[in-house]
Amino acid sequence: MTRVWKWNRPVTVREVLEDLQQERSIAYTTVMTVLDNLHQKGWVRREAEGRAYRYEAVSTRAAYAAALMNDAWSQSDNPAAALVAFFGMMSEEQRTALRDAVRIAQGPETPEPAQPPDTRVTSTDTGSADTTGTDTGTDTAPHTSGDTSSDTSPDTRTDTRSENPGSAQEPDGR
């Protein structure tokens, strides 16, 4: 599989044999048997080319490693403990790679949706409310970014519903 992944193209038994023979003595039938076994297990696909086959990896080396890790993890009777033990075996470089992978897998962080300005009057405010809908008390909740008031003078808040067409309208359509 190392040769098939390394070359990243369909290969013949003869090509793999010649490459392996640079390192050690190996028989053609041995390479042919191994590639046939990999085909039977679904790790490579093959296509006939004349009297020979061309073998190509079904998945990447990274996907293969991930499948092995997933299989081992899923067989544990305590997956959390298995992960802790696995992380304990990692080098600092591997932990950095893991943090990067988790960040990538989670995708980009999406900001929280914008909320309309706080123009409502609630009974949880610590001050009293007048009938114009303006809060005259001092509430302790932070105001959203669309709030045009200052926290030090809550009576100066303005009704921003007309400025923000997406905000809720009053029953009379305003």
Side-chain angles (χ1 to χ4, degrees):
M1 279 308 299
T2 301
R3 287 347 189 252
V4 177
W5 283 320
K6 179 177 140 185
W7 294 332
N8 197 27
R9 62 173 174 79
V11 297
T12 63
V13 171
R14 176 75 52 204
E15 290 173 311
V16 175
L17 173 70
E18 289 173 359
D19 191 52
L20 288 171
Q21 283 179 335
Q22 293 177 15
E23 299 170 11
R24 62 187 168 165
S25 177
I26 190 167
Y28 180 93
T29 54
T30 301
V31 176
M32 183 177 65
T33 299
V34 169
L35 284 170
D36 185 58
N37 288 342
L38 290 170
H39 176 258
Q40 296 297 321
K41 291 180 179 184
W43 290 99
V44 295
R45 64 178 144 263
R46 67 183 181 194
E47 191 172 310
E49 184 177 280
R51 292 180 40 198
Y53 286 110
R54 284 208 172 264
Y55 294 88
E56 184 176 19
V58 170
S59 67
T60 65
R61 188 176 206 147
Y64 171 73
L68 287 176
M69 289 187 288
N70 187 56
D71 186 48
W73 186 46
S74 67
Q75 291 181 26
S76 172
D77 61 346
N78 187 343
L83 282 175
V84 169
F86 180 63
F87 297 154
M89 295 178 205
M90 294 176 133
S91 69
E92 189 54 41
E93 286 178 357
Q94 290 170 322
R95 285 190 199 105
T96 300
L98 176 65
R99 281 189 290 274
D100 292 344
V102 168
R103 243 188 322 275
I104 291 167
Q106 288 176 336
E109 291 186 28
T110 54
E112 291 186 26
Q115 296 186 9
D118 185 9
T119 57
R120 70 188 189 294
V121 177
T122 62
S123 60
T124 59
D125 289 340
T126 57
S128 61
D130 67 12
T131 56
T132 62
T134 329
D135 185 357
T136 58
T138 308
D139 60 13
T140 55
H143 302 294
T144 60
S145 61
D147 192 355
T148 58
S149 70
S150 157
D151 284 337
T152 58
S153 60
D155 327 26
T156 59
R157 288 187 203 166
T158 57
D159 186 353
T160 57
R161 283 177 285 205
S162 60
E163 297 169 14
N164 184 356
S167 65
Q169 294 183 349
E170 293 182 12
D172 64 356
R174 289 186 296 176

